[in-house]
Every structure is written in structure tokens, then in C-alpha cells.
Amino acid sequence: MPRETDTLPDIQVQWTESGIPSEESIIDAAAAGMVSRKDEPYESFVKDLSLSRAKEFLTKMIEYGHESVLEHITFQFWVSMSRVASHQQVRHRMASYTQMSLRKKRSLTTDDFVVPPQIKSEDLGEWIADSKQVIDTYEKWLAKGYEVDVARRKLTQEARTDMVMTINARSLRNYFNLRAKHDADFEINAVAKRMYQLICEEGLGFLFEDIGFE
């Protein structure tokens, strides 16, 4: 099970059990970068490489634009979002995803539908009622004896989906550069910012602090 963290409204982002890069992986990434710069045996410079020195080295590599070494650092998140936002999420193909399937029969409630924060309080009841109507329609076609593959086509894009996302630090920088901007879809923008918050809480924000989060 994912470890619990605070959540954004209607959007959930958590670390998986092994999702946080270890100190050793940070040191290994820096050592990998040093391989291309030092004419000496690997053991001679990696044995005394501290975490603080590794962070300094990786920060310099980012400044120089030599980001390939960041591919040795891997993050893994559990994300819950709407299916419409998930379609944009999985476009970042330099990552690995395992996503909840809607081909299995599910008992749905209105909590399984993401409510956009833009919905005004006076319209919230109507929005939720529309979601309930979608659920009723889905269940009606199941009750008629149709397979889930048929009935699920009545579900709307706001239906919630869960996924596990594994991504290396270099690709995550690209993800943040595209999705942490004000013109990104509001939901995936919130997911990106929550990921960055979790990363900073683990002392790994130095890998992304040059990116302007909006």
C-alpha cells in the first residue's frame, strides 16, 4: 500500500513504499557522472564520496546541462486523478505506468468522480447529481446483462483512475517543465506541484529547484 500523505482536493499523490530515491542512489548517480570526468579507477573516488558532495556535483551537472546522469535516479508515485487528466499524464513516455482498469466491474459512488475546483458552490449539487446519473446509466446497462466492456463506455472522463508512475529524475525535470506551468491543465498541474512538494520534503528538491513552478 502507498504511504499516506496529505492530499490535494480531489487529487491524490503519494510515495509508493520504495518510491523515494535512497541516499546511495544519489551518490551512485554522482559517481556515474564522475566516471566520464576522472581518469582513475571507480573505487578510488567513489569510496569517499559523501551525500553532500554528490548533491553539489549533481547540481553542477544540471547547471552545465549534463543531465544524463540524472537518469540513474528513479522516483515512484501513486497518483489518483481523473481519466481525462491521466490521458495527458501517460503521454510522458519516458516513464513507466500501471493504471487501474475499468474492464473490471466496479461499485461506483460519486466519490469516484473528480470534481474540478472551478465548480461554484451553488453548482456543486447539480454537478454531483450529473455524476450520479452517469453511475445509474452505467449500472443500468450492467443490469441488462451487458459486459463491463460495453457498459463502461457510458462513464465520463471525470471518472477517477489510479496509477503507479515510475520516472527518472531527468524525465521528471521535463515533466515539471511542461506541467508545472500556469497554462497546463489545472489537474495535472496540481499533481506536478504535489510531487515536487513530496520531493522537497525528502531533501531532494535540489534536482528541480531551477524550474519555475507556477
Side-chain angles (χ1 to χ4, degrees):
M1 291 293 293
R3 298 191 316 182
E4 291 188 2
T5 65
D6 295 334
T7 60
L8 291 165
D10 264 327
I11 300 165
Q12 300 177 44
V13 183
Q14 302 175 3
W15 291 115
T16 63
E17 287 294 336
S18 60
I20 304 170
S22 65
E23 293 183 359
E24 290 79 8
S25 70
I26 302 300
I27 293 173
D28 286 344
M34 292 178 181
V35 166
S36 68
R37 306 170 69 87
K38 291 183 178 290
D39 184 20
E40 55 188 273
Y42 179 81
E43 295 81 4
S44 65
F45 59 83
V46 73
K47 64 180 180 180
D48 296 321
L49 183 57
S50 66
L51 179 62
S52 60
R53 176 71 184 97
K55 288 183 176 182
E56 291 175 4
F57 180 84
L58 291 174
T59 299
K60 285 294 184 183
M61 291 296 96
I62 293 171
E63 292 175 358
Y64 296 153
H66 300 162
E67 298 187 6
S68 62
V69 296
L70 302 182
E71 295 177 17
H72 298 288
I73 304 171
T74 302
F75 299 83
Q76 190 176 81
F77 301 95
W78 175 86
V79 181
S80 183
M81 64 201 316
S82 71
R83 293 197 72 83
V84 66
S86 76
H87 296 326
Q88 295 191 50
Q89 185 86 354
V90 299
R91 288 176 185 168
H92 294 269
R93 294 316 310 160
M94 297 305 291
S96 299
Y97 302 92
T98 301
Q99 186 171 0
M100 175 193 293
S101 173
L102 285 179
R103 298 190 68 188
K104 182 178 180 181
K105 184 177 179 180
R106 297 173 59 193
S107 297
L108 298 173
T109 70
T110 53
D111 288 337
D112 293 307
F113 291 77
V114 175
V115 179
Q118 294 92 334
I119 300 301
K120 300 175 182 178
S121 57
E122 61 266 30
D123 294 328
L124 183 59
E126 182 179 355
W127 183 277
I128 293 175
D130 286 346
S131 299
K132 180 63 169 61
Q133 185 175 352
V134 170
I135 296 171
D136 291 342
T137 301
Y138 168 74
E139 293 178 344
K140 178 185 73 175
W141 289 100
L142 288 175
K144 284 177 174 287
Y146 287 93
E147 297 291 335
V148 176
D149 267 353
V150 175
R152 71 190 178 113
R153 282 165 167 75
K154 288 296 185 179
L155 296 176
T156 57
Q157 294 276 43
E158 63 172 328
R160 185 181 298 280
T161 185
D162 299 342
M163 68 173 66
V164 170
M165 174 185 182
T166 304
I167 187 168
N168 68 56
R170 186 183 193 183
S171 295
L172 191 54
R173 284 179 57 82
N174 173 260
Y175 173 83
F176 285 155
N177 269 313
L178 294 173
R179 302 304 186 179
K181 307 301 183 183
H182 71 275
D183 57 348
D185 173 83
F186 67 89
E187 192 175 345
I188 201 169
N189 177 264
V191 168
K193 289 177 179 177
R194 181 57 179 148
M195 286 180 174
Y196 181 61
Q197 181 183 0
L198 291 173
I199 288 169
C200 288
E201 290 172 1
E202 299 298 331
L204 298 170
F206 73 96
L207 294 168
F208 311 99
E209 61 187 7
D210 60 314
I211 297 173
F213 285 76
E214 301 172 359

